[in-house]
Amino acid sequence: QVQLVESGGGLAQPGGSLRLSCAASGFTFSSYAMSWARQAPGKGLEWVSGIYDTGSITFYADSLKGRFTISRDNAKNTVYLQMNSLKPEDTALYYCVKDLEPRRVGASDYWGQGTQVTVSS
């Protein structure tokens, strides 16, 4: 069965960095786009970033461009989210998401359990 296991969350200071990882199994990882989404306390789900199957094309929410970087290692079945210049408003539960197609992000069928990111001094 499809499994998406996130790690790397935790407490960071404003201006700090964290790197999230998502280990995928149960499907042909290199054949699907992958995304990250988040849900802040008391708010709805927000799509954060996506990456095509080969890793050649990436997408970001407009508010995050320049601070977050998505990447993937198809040999390790892992997708990453490097988060820099963190702000308190980045505090959220971050989810790894399997997309439905290799070169389309934002339409998904499986989600991980999430990893908590808290940005606070």
Side-chain angles (χ1 to χ4, degrees):
Q1 70 279 22
V2 173
Q3 286 193 315
L4 302 170
V5 180
E6 302 97 335
S7 61
L11 177 64
Q13 292 191 339
S17 298
L18 284 173
R19 188 193 196 202
L20 306 183
S21 299
C22 170
S25 61
F27 65 102
T28 305
F29 180 75
S30 59
S31 295
Y32 293 91
M34 297 293 295
S35 292
W36 288 93
R38 69 184 182 183
Q39 185 165 25
K43 297 189 177 181
L45 282 166
E46 177 188 18
W47 178 85
V48 172
S49 180
I51 186 167
Y52 280 178
D53 56 344
T54 61
S56 58
I57 304 293
T58 59
F59 302 88
Y60 301 92
D62 287 342
S63 61
L64 300 174
K65 282 182 181 177
R67 296 196 299 122
F68 288 13
T69 303
I70 190 171
S71 62
R72 66 191 294 162
D73 185 338
N74 285 347
K76 296 182 178 180
N77 288 358
T78 302
V79 61
Y80 305 96
L81 186 68
Q82 177 68 43
M83 305 186 295
N84 298 329
S85 302
L86 285 164
K87 304 176 181 180
E89 52 264 41
D90 294 319
T91 295
L93 189 61
Y94 283 73
Y95 296 96
C96 176
V97 181
K98 174 188 171 292
D99 289 304
L100 286 167
E101 300 177 28
R103 297 189 179 185
R104 179 187 178 194
V105 299
S108 58
D109 54 358
Y110 289 95
W111 293 60
Q113 293 297 307
T115 186
Q116 179 67 40
V117 171
T118 302
V119 183
S120 174
S121 56

